[in-house]
Amino acid sequence: MSVYTTLTTAYFKQLCDAYQLGGYQAHQGITEGITNTIYQLTTDTGRFIVTIFEEITVSDLPFYLDLMNYLAEHKFPCQLVYKDKDGQSIQDFQHKPLIIVPYLPGNTVDNPTVTQMISVAEHLAILHSLTLHYPAKQINPRGGEWRDQVFNKIQSKLQPEDLQLLEQEVKFQQQDFDQNIPRSIIHADLFRDNVLFEDEQLSGVLDFYYACHGVCVLDLAITINDW
């Protein structure tokens, strides 16, 4: 379920006018996501994606939106964030930020081919290369502090053998061993439901809202684990 906030037809027509998207035709909720409310908007000029952020605040958004625009401008297959007639990228809907991006063609895959997995790896390398010296920084919200908080929260619920295994891993990760590991902006959420394909061709990378400055190997681990 990914439609937590209801938008009316009248409001979508207002958005079409504000963003000069053409005449309103239809809208529908997209249910594949988890965190945000997502709609597909269709006008007489094309299709668009409207996202209402249920947890991310307005103050947090500029990093993600600027990153998406930077990557799109460098020909990376992600969505360029639209601006309205007043030059604003973010709308306020009932104290929740709202943005509009283009609809990207393609579909997610449950059982990727070798060619598709190679393409994912190549695009991840491109992402890291493009952002090695990206000036803006965002702390990893799932970094060491989060790890330790979660461990403290769940350890009383673990079986002894699981607790011992996790204690060993947490102690290992708490060592200061990663100072020389390459860092860049990492996607940090590159699961199969965030990549689109048209047949064997990668057509879009979605959902940069966990992106942060971090060690590239974390992106590799997340991607290998899912793909």
Side-chain angles (χ1 to χ4, degrees):
M1 174 64 182
S2 187
V3 178
Y4 308 104
T5 300
T6 301
L7 302 182
T8 64
T9 298
Y11 186 76
F12 277 109
K13 291 180 178 179
Q14 291 179 28
L15 291 176
C16 289
D17 177 64
Y19 283 84
Q20 299 178 304
L21 302 177
Y24 169 88
Q25 290 186 342
H27 69 273
Q28 64 181 49
I30 297 176
T31 59
E32 284 83 359
I34 297 174
T35 306
N36 302 314
T37 292
I38 305 173
Y39 286 95
Q40 178 178 298
L41 169 64
T42 304
T43 76
D44 56 17
T45 65
R47 288 184 286 180
F48 308 89
I49 298 297
V50 179
T51 300
I52 302 100
F53 296 94
E54 303 292 344
E55 297 180 4
I56 298 175
T57 63
V58 171
S59 61
D60 291 329
L61 267 181
F63 171 82
Y64 305 117
L65 304 189
D66 290 345
L67 173 63
M68 291 164 63
N69 288 339
Y70 170 82
L71 292 171
E73 289 164 0
H74 285 77
K75 310 304 180 184
F76 190 83
C78 68
Q79 295 156 316
L80 187 71
V81 184
Y82 286 120
K83 293 183 178 181
D84 65 14
K85 291 185 290 188
D86 297 323
Q88 301 300 312
S89 299
I90 304 171
Q91 303 292 320
D92 182 285
F93 182 81
Q94 297 179 352
H95 307 296
K96 298 177 183 179
L98 177 152
I99 66 167
I100 300 179
V101 295
Y103 170 87
L104 295 181
N107 297 289
T108 59
V109 295
D110 291 326
N111 299 294
T113 66
V114 171
T115 299
Q116 289 169 334
M117 288 189 282
I118 290 172
S119 184
V120 170
E122 290 173 342
H123 281 82
L124 189 61
I126 293 169
L127 169 63
H128 292 168
S129 297
L130 283 173
T131 61
L132 275 175
H133 305 291
Y134 190 71
K137 298 291 185 287
Q138 175 86 342
I139 296 174
N140 186 355
R142 297 293 185 270
E145 183 178 347
W146 173 86
R147 174 202 61 217
D148 294 343
Q149 289 175 351
V150 172
F151 175 64
N152 292 334
K153 184 177 180 179
I154 68 171
Q155 58 180 310
S156 64
K157 300 176 175 62
L158 298 175
Q159 296 296 321
E161 59 272 22
D162 295 328
L163 177 59
Q164 182 180 15
L165 179 64
L166 197 55
E167 281 180 332
Q168 292 173 350
E169 179 61 25
V170 169
K171 287 180 181 178
F172 174 73
Q173 292 190 17
Q174 287 172 338
Q175 298 178 57
D176 189 21
F177 64 88
D178 65 352
Q179 294 304 307
N180 296 317
I181 295 178
R183 295 171 180 268
S184 69
I185 300 300
I186 61 174
H187 186 282
D189 196 32
L190 201 62
F191 295 93
R192 284 167 290 169
D193 61 354
N194 283 330
V195 182
L196 301 175
F197 286 92
E198 291 187 292
D199 296 322
E200 298 285 78
Q201 183 70 38
L202 191 152
S203 59
V205 176
L206 309 175
D207 200 351
F208 282 80
Y209 307 116
Y210 286 99
C212 58
H213 185 257
V215 292
C216 299
V217 70
L218 176 57
D219 245 357
L220 291 174
I222 292 169
T223 305
I224 290 170
N225 185 63
D226 195 56
W227 289 84

